[in-house]
């Protein structure tokens, strides 16, 4: 009996020690979720003919050249070939002219839609917005994530980190407890990735569609039985800023494939 | 840890003695068969998200926590009860969710707010089932 007691106390203390040790060693080997997938899914992502996300990239390339009635301007009329977007996705979210908040790549594209093309704002997660985001981000494939060294971003990154470490929901879990402390272990048979936003927008088999990082974060919040943030909430941008900063140097894969 | 009575709105009060809750939350023993179904159910007990156990038909089990096999040999029913009710009482940093607690939680989704993960009856069923998991 007393042996069992002591066991339980040690279990508690040892776990605390392990968690603190984890917090101190600064993520020894960072790896994209790509490496946590089976070979068949990796092969699907690697082969442009098999990667379903390339359909959206193709659609995005068409939209890039499409003119809109009001301004009669296509993205290409102002920006030239879509290849001019090389490196852009690697440094978003960022501050942009006319906004006092950092914006995501999707939000930046929508600013061009409404202000420069004088077209309607594309709905969150809509096929057109995903396609345009995919073709723009695809131009940075294989480039290292490189958040801008902009001091104005620091409070937003810090806010994102606080959210990442907050225990929330009915299950009382934080993002960090899964993605830092237990990455590589199995949650109901699924390997927990380190949560680096390397592939977005991703084609997720479970969605049978291309989707944004925001959508992926909502999935995790629902899994924790936490209230998802409102669709336009700044929390998603803060989390994205923190995750991009944390993934600095890892290569973009857009369009990523994930289970 | 001491000897404290825990009482929360809408939940049955219980007394912690040492590292255990000596009395069933419902005043009576649970049903191990029902407990087995709760533990195996991905949405109800969710235990196999983190643990593995003697459930050959369940292909996807977790590796975030010790296997449940043998839990009934390692712990008494009273100790198991506190571990399910609120494992954080034993280890503040545990990832094991508090199955019978509603206070001190942040941003709980609307559909689950104010409710414990399991009812008092379900907790007793789970405890009764775990007690049957003896080392071979």
């Amino acid at each position: 009996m007393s042996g069992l007691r002591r066991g339980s106390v040690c279990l508690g203390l040892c776990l605390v020690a392990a968690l603190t040790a984890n917090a101190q060693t600064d993520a020894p080997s960072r790896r994209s979720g790509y490496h946590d997938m089976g070979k068949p899914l990796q092969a699907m992502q690697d082969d442009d003919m098999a990667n379903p996300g390339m359909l959206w990239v193709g659609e995005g390339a068409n939209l890039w050249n499409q003119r809109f009635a009001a301004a009669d301007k296509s993205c290409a009329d102002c920006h030239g070939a879509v290849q001019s977007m090389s490196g852009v996705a690697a440094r978003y979210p960022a501050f942009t002219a006319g906004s006092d908040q950092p914006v995501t790549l999707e939000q930046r594209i929508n600013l061009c839609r409404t202000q420069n093309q004088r077209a309607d704002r594309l709905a969150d997660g809509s096929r057109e917005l995903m396609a345009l985001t995919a073709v723009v981000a695809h131009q940075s494939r294989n480039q290292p994530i490189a958040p801008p060294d902009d001091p104005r971003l620091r409070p937003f990154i810090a806010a994102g980190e606080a959210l990442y470490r907050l225990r929330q929901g009915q299950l009382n879990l934080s993002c960090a407890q899964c993605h830092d402390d237990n990455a590589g272990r199995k949650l109901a048979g699924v390997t927990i990735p380190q949560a680096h936003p390397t592939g977005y927008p991703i084609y997720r088999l479970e969605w049978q569609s291309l989707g944004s990082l925001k959508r992926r974060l909502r999935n995790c919040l629902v899994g924790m039985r936490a209230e998802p943030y409102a669709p336009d909430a700044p929390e998603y941008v803060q989390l994205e800023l923190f995750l991009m900063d944390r993934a600095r140097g890892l290569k973009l894969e857009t369009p990523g494939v994930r289970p | 840890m001491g000897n404290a009575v825990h009482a929360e709105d809408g939940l049955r009060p219980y007394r912690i003695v040492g590292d255990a809750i000596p009395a069933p939350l419902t005043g009576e023993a649970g049903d191990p068969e029902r407990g087995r179904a709760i533990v195996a159910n991905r949405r109800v007990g969710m235990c196999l998200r983190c643990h593995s156990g003697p459930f050959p038909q369940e292909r996807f089990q977790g590796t975030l926590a010790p296997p449940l096999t043998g839990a009934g040999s390692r712990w008494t029913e009273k100790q198991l009860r506190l571990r399910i009710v609120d494992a954080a009482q034993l280890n503040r940093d545990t990832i094991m969710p508090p199955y019978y607690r509603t206070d001190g939680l942040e941003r709980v989704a609307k559909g689950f707010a104010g409710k414990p993960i399991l009812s008092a009856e379900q907790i007793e069923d789970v405890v009764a089932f775990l007690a049957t998991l003896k080392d071979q």
Side-chain angles (χ1 to χ4, degrees):
Chain A
M1 193 68 221
S2 79
L4 285 180
R5 276 273 171 82
R6 204 167 313 122
S8 98
V9 170
C10 172
L11 194 58
L13 294 181
C14 299
L15 241 134
V16 174
L19 287 171
T20 345
N22 254 347
Q24 280 161 1
T25 45
D26 199 20
S29 57
R30 290 174 310 149
R31 54 192 240 149
S32 161
Y34 172 89
H35 298 288
D36 297 314
M37 313 193 295
K39 287 270 176 280
L41 280 189
Q42 292 183 349
M44 186 190 273
Q45 173 172 317
D46 292 343
D47 177 1
D48 283 351
M49 303 303 287
N51 183 336
M54 288 308 289
L55 288 174
W56 276 259
V57 172
E59 276 179 45
N62 289 336
L63 288 172
W64 181 262
N65 293 310
Q66 201 170 308
R67 292 212 166 90
F68 280 89
D72 197 29
K73 282 228 187 321
S74 69
C75 315
D77 286 336
C78 290
H79 290 289
V82 69
Q83 285 78 3
S84 68
M85 290 283 130
S86 171
V88 172
R91 52 180 168 76
Y92 269 75
F95 278 90
T96 191
S99 170
D100 55 358
Q101 303 272 324
V103 299
T104 63
L105 185 59
E106 283 101 315
Q107 288 169 330
R108 176 60 250 187
I109 290 172
N110 247 333
L111 283 174
C112 273
R113 277 278 299 191
T114 53
Q115 296 177 353
N116 291 327
Q117 284 189 311
R118 283 185 272 142
D120 290 340
R121 182 182 182 278
L122 293 170
D124 218 28
S126 63
R127 187 153 181 119
E128 291 101 317
L129 185 55
M130 284 301 100
L132 279 168
T133 310
V135 75
V136 169
H138 182 60
Q139 307 311 313
S140 304
R141 181 153 77 166
N142 293 326
Q143 294 186 32
I145 291 176
D149 194 13
D150 179 347
R152 292 174 300 168
L153 288 174
R154 278 182 210 142
F156 295 91
I157 296 173
E161 172 158 19
L163 295 173
Y164 184 80
R165 304 199 181 284
L166 174 74
R167 296 183 74 144
Q168 51 173 316
Q170 195 192 34
L171 305 192
N172 199 30
L173 291 169
S174 70
C175 318
Q177 284 179 306
C178 278
H179 292 296
D180 290 347
D181 303 339
N182 283 293
R185 301 218 176 98
K186 299 249 188 224
L187 183 76
V190 177
T191 303
I192 301 180
Q194 292 179 356
H196 296 302
T198 42
Y200 291 83
I202 55 165
Y203 183 88
R204 189 163 183 224
L205 271 70
E206 191 175 310
W207 299 333
Q208 298 273 300
S209 180
L210 197 80
S212 63
L213 178 63
K214 188 195 283 191
R215 184 171 180 191
R216 174 65 251 189
L217 298 185
R218 286 179 75 89
N219 285 180
C220 279
L221 289 164
V222 168
M224 297 150 80
R225 298 192 175 175
E227 186 63 21
Y229 304 106
D232 279 325
E235 279 87 349
Y236 290 115
V237 186
Q238 294 162 3
L239 275 169
E240 181 165 344
L241 274 162
F242 170 66
L243 291 176
M244 287 293 273
D245 193 54
R246 182 172 163 272
R248 184 184 290 272
L250 293 181
K251 293 203 167 111
L252 282 179
E253 301 159 20
T254 311
V257 172
R258 294 291 183 272
Chain B
M1 210 135 294
N3 193 329
V5 174
H6 279 251
E8 282 183 51
D9 271 1
L11 301 190
R12 305 200 198 198
Y14 58 85
R15 183 184 294 274
I16 299 179
V17 179
D19 71 345
I21 300 175
L25 301 177
T26 55
E28 53 191 50
D31 172 41
E33 273 310 304
R34 280 202 307 259
R36 182 186 172 85
I38 292 165
V39 168
N41 188 301
R42 246 148 247 295
R43 291 183 179 279
V44 181
M46 301 176 282
C47 315
L48 301 186
R49 284 199 204 176
C50 297
H51 292 274
S52 59
F55 300 91
Q57 76 283 12
E58 296 292 335
R59 283 176 55 222
F60 301 110
Q61 307 195 4
T63 62
L64 306 191
L68 293 178
T69 310
S73 300
R74 289 192 292 278
W75 311 102
T76 64
E77 286 199 26
K78 299 165 189 192
Q79 290 174 313
L80 287 167
R81 188 172 292 113
L82 178 55
R83 274 154 186 77
I84 313 302
V85 164
D86 189 5
Q89 304 258 4
L90 297 159
N91 168 14
R92 199 173 49 85
D93 294 318
T94 188
I95 56 165
M96 171 128 169
Y99 279 88
Y100 199 68
R101 161 151 77 90
T102 53
D103 67 2
L105 304 178
E106 304 231 22
R107 306 196 65 263
V108 176
K110 285 198 186 72
F112 298 105
K115 298 176 195 152
I117 303 173
L118 295 178
S119 68
E121 289 74 15
Q122 288 174 312
I123 299 274
E124 292 309 323
D125 293 343
V126 168
V127 168
F129 167 64
L130 293 175
T132 68
L133 298 180
K134 303 288 187 197
D135 281 328
Q136 306 310 321

